[in-house]
Structure formats: structure tokens, C-alpha cells
Amino acid sequence: MSFQTDTIHAGVAPDKAYGAIMTPIYQSSTFVFEDIGKHRGFDYTRSGNPTRKALEDSLAALEGCSGAVAVTTGMAAIATVMHLFAAGDEIICTDDCYGGTARLLSTFAEHFNVCVHFINLRNIEDIGGYVNEKTRAIWIETPSNPLLNLVDIAAVTAFAKERGLLSIVDNTFLSPYLQQPFKLGADVVVHSTTKYLNGHSDVVGGAILSNDPDLDQKLKFLVNALGTCAQPFDCWLVLRGIKTLVPRMKEHERNARIIAEFLDSHPKVKRVFYPGLESHPQHDLAKRQQRGFGGMVSFELEGGQAEVEQVLRGTRIFALAESLGGVESLIEHPATMSHASMGSEHRLVAGITDSVIRLSVGIEDPEDLVADLRQALA
Ligand SMILES: *Cc1c(COP(=O)(O)O)cnc(C)c1O
């Protein structure tokens, strides 16, 4: 089936009890056994739940892989995957990853002696210098947050494969509609389903995808052992969100392009970060490894704090809030919000100045969105 058909049907079959066309919410902690040692596929919701299974089957179909587990949040997905490693192991991670990922991986380094090297994965020739016999995995996130830098997934996974390392890709920013890491050689994909997959800013959730029977089993074991599984109602919400993933992503993308072009021509804007602009240094890579350019746009303003505050306070449709990927447009200031915990020094090295503003472009009428930004910038 095509991707779009799978968003509607994969994992979802009419319910066996009454033929309900929509997957019921099996809000039950436990399931009655038919006889001693005999149940109907589920015994306890931490180990498995029919609503969660429908979501997991849907996600596996969309990412094109064999295994999927739905967990409570994106961070729960990342924390669960980190349990694949043991004290003494080493991991290489992209240096401009999500702030929560950097914080969690650093905590693993501190508490569990898993050494993490944060490096710039855009310089593939540098990676070899960080690989030794203890190295186990490379953690990729692309596009990055908030500057929309890209990592060449196929090149990094090929490098990892040659050395027997696991490739893990955080695919949250584009969703499986716009980027398919397994086709580019990934072993594990993680998602914050909080973002585009659910798409309505009304749930926090996560998922771990894998494409190897051994790995699928290990990850299922860890989710059950750790108890990081997603709740039935949350799974139902994400499953509902996925049904409109394709039309939503098309609208996000159309609006983001219009806004990136508007900002690019605005005299008060110094620089626009959007992989869809030809001026983006990795525009060709974006065309090669992505189906589209996504709904996130960042830009650097001319001027200082006063100008930044004027824009952040001045928008009427774009709401001042963290997070992304919902149908409504959001504006935020990485230096004081999403990336505050990074520290100013690390931010400046990464190129995130205090004048950078990040937009999560929603699916409102693009003319209204442009007018909103125009008046806030005036
Ligand atoms: C939001 C986000 C996460 C964390 O997800 P939560 O659902 O907030 O725990 C991880 N990675 C990326 C790229 C994100 O945007």
C-alpha cells in the first residue's frame, strides 16, 4: 500500500467484538485468562495492549520496519534505547541534538559510565577519530533544532555499518512522511510522537522503531522491564492524529516555504534557516534525502534584545510557546526557552545567537500568517 493509504489503514482492523471501525480505547490494566496459561494475546497492559498494538503496527508500516514500541514520551524512547548500552560503552552523538537528548545522554555518561562524544556529524571525515573498540553506536538527529542543519544519513549509516556500529536516527522533525531513515540504512528510529505524528498538541508520546528481529525483541523487553510504555488513551490520540499526517505535512510545508521566502526578503531579517531555500548550505542534501523540507523555520533578526522582544510579543496568531508540530503556529526564543539549558557559550559555538527566533509553522491560512509576521516585524 502507499504511505498515505497506510496512514489510514495500517494496524487498524474493524474491532472483533462489535465491528467498531475505529480502534477502541482498551482502557484496562489487565485481561482475563481463558484458562490456566491461556490468554487472548494480552495479559497486562505494561506488557501489551490492543490499542497500543494498533498504533505500533501503524508506526512500523509508516517507517517501513519490523518492530515498533509506543512509549510515554520522546524522552522515554531515548531513555529506553540507552538501556541497550552498558558501562564502558561509547556512543557518538550529533552535537546539535535536541536539548533533552544532550541532557539525558550526559546523565548516562555521569551515572552509568557510558561515554558520549558530542561531535559535528556534518564533518564525516572527523568521525573516525572518535571510534575505538568500545564504540557501539552513532546517534543522528536531522534536521537539527533550531538551525535546521542536516546530517547525511546514508553516509553516516554506511560508516557505522562498516565498523559494526548501531545507527540511531531521531526522525521527529520531519515525520516518516518526509524522511525514511530505514531506507537510508538506520537500525533504530526514535520519535517524539508529541510533534507531527500526533500533530494536535494534545498528547505527549514517543516511539521506538527497529528493523531486526533481535533488536525488536530487545526493545520490547526493555519497554516492559522499564515500564516506559504509552497509555491506551494517548495511543488512541496519536493513532487518530496519524490519519491526517499527509495532508497536514503538505500544508505545514507549503506554509513554511511561503514564510521562509517572506522572511528572506524582509530587511529586518539577517538570515533565514530553512532547508527548502536554495541559499541553505545543504539544500541539495535536503532534496536527496527528504521528501520535503518540513514545517520548521528559524531566522536571525537584525538588532538586539529590544527587536527580538518586539517580535516575540508582537505576533497575534503565532503563540509564544515551546514544542512544535501542531496544527497551530508557534513562535519561540531558543536562547531563553528551548535552548536555555544549553548555556550561552555552547549556544554561540553552535551558532544559536540571542537574535535567533524559531517558528513552528501551523496549517492556518498562509496569508494570515505572513500578515501576522509582517505586523510584528514592523
Ligand atoms: C520534543 C523532542 C524530543 C522529546 O520528546 P518529548 O515527547 O517532549 O519527550 C526528542 N527529540 C526531538 C527532536 C524533539 O523535538
Side-chain angles (χ1 to χ4, degrees):
M1 292 292 169
S2 82
F3 185 93
Q4 186 159 356
T5 303
D6 275 342
T7 60
I8 311 295
H9 294 289
V12 179
D15 182 57
K16 287 199 191 83
Y18 296 106
I21 194 156
M22 287 300 152
T23 308
I25 308 165
Y26 284 96
Q27 194 72 30
S28 184
S29 60
T30 194
F31 298 83
V32 178
F33 278 58
E34 287 183 325
D35 197 0
I36 299 162
K38 193 171 169 224
H39 59 68
R40 291 164 55 179
F42 299 95
D43 57 355
Y44 185 59
T45 278
R46 173 157 45 71
S47 319
N49 174 284
T51 314
R52 191 160 86 231
K53 177 150 194 327
L55 172 61
E56 291 170 343
D57 290 349
S58 163
L59 288 168
L62 299 184
E63 283 288 7
C65 64
S66 56
V69 268
V71 293
T72 44
T73 60
M75 289 320 303
I78 294 165
T80 303
V81 170
M82 284 303 289
H83 282 77
L84 291 171
F85 308 113
D89 287 353
E90 296 193 8
I91 288 172
I92 293 165
C93 180
T94 178
D95 62 355
D96 55 1
C97 62
Y98 179 69
T101 306
R103 182 172 57 193
L104 181 71
L105 268 52
S106 301
T107 306
F108 266 83
E110 219 171 283
H111 293 190
F112 306 116
N113 194 29
V114 174
C115 176
V116 185
H117 302 280
F118 292 99
I119 67 167
N120 182 346
L121 290 182
R122 278 170 286 162
N123 302 330
I124 292 182
E125 58 284 1
D126 292 351
I127 306 176
Y130 295 88
V131 176
N132 60 47
E133 74 284 354
K134 295 179 186 162
T135 313
R136 295 288 172 268
I138 304 185
W139 197 291
I140 302 166
E141 185 182 315
T142 180
S144 75
N145 181 13
L147 297 183
L148 289 310
N149 291 316
L150 308 188
V151 172
D152 186 333
I153 299 176
V156 175
T157 61
F159 173 93
K161 208 144 270 160
E162 273 171 27
R163 288 157 186 82
L165 311 177
L166 210 60
S167 306
I168 303 160
V169 179
D170 185 328
N171 201 26
T172 300
F173 255 48
L174 288 176
S175 89
Y177 177 57
L178 295 181
Q179 182 165 273
Q180 303 232 290
F182 287 112
K183 292 202 178 116
L184 300 167
D187 299 301
V188 175
V189 169
V190 295
H191 274 287
S192 167
T193 57
T194 309
K195 315 293 167 55
Y196 289 105
L197 279 164
N198 179 60
H200 293 75
S201 305
D202 51 11
V203 71
V204 287
I208 312 165
L209 296 305
S210 49
N211 201 20
D212 165 82
D214 257 6
L215 210 45
D216 301 349
Q217 278 318 309
K218 267 188 202 156
L219 289 163
K220 270 202 168 57
F221 169 85
L222 283 174
V223 168
N224 186 40
L226 293 164
T228 45
C229 58
Q231 296 298 310
F233 181 56
D234 293 351
C235 291
W236 183 84
L237 282 171
V238 177
L239 200 52
R240 187 181 206 261
I242 284 173
K243 292 184 207 297
T244 55
L245 179 66
V246 173
R248 278 189 289 109
M249 292 316 290
K250 285 182 177 164
E251 293 286 298
H252 281 298
E253 159 133 1
R254 183 192 61 151
N255 287 358
R257 261 183 219 243
I258 292 170
I259 284 166
E261 278 161 20
F262 163 72
L263 291 170
D264 204 30
S265 65
H266 198 286
K268 289 193 181 161
V269 174
K270 199 161 159 188
R271 230 181 118 185
V272 179
F273 306 92
Y274 186 63
L277 293 178
E278 278 184 23
S279 57
H280 189 283
Q282 294 167 296
H283 179 65
D284 288 336
L285 174 60
K287 282 201 288 195
R288 195 163 72 238
Q289 81 177 4
Q290 305 175 187
R291 195 206 290 249
F293 305 110
M296 299 299 295
V297 179
S298 295
F299 61 102
E300 192 172 5
L301 268 188
E302 296 282 5
Q305 196 183 337
E307 286 76 12
V308 169
E309 287 183 4
Q310 182 208 315
V311 174
L312 293 172
R313 291 201 177 107
T315 55
R316 293 172 192 145
I317 301 173
F318 284 86
L320 184 64
E322 297 193 12
S323 198
L324 58 112
V327 288
E328 69 293 318
S329 290
L330 303 178
I331 187 167
E332 72 109 13
H333 185 219
T336 58
M337 296 169 70
S338 60
H339 291 65
S341 68
M342 205 169 164
S344 57
E345 220 168 283
H346 189 169
R347 272 201 308 275
L348 286 182
V349 172
I352 310 167
T353 70
D354 290 355
S355 303
V356 170
I357 290 174
R358 187 189 79 181
L359 304 174
S360 173
V361 179
I363 64 169
E364 300 94 338
D365 187 318
E367 278 184 34
D368 290 338
L369 295 179
V370 168
D372 191 31
L373 290 171
R374 185 180 285 119
Q375 62 83 29
L377 282 160

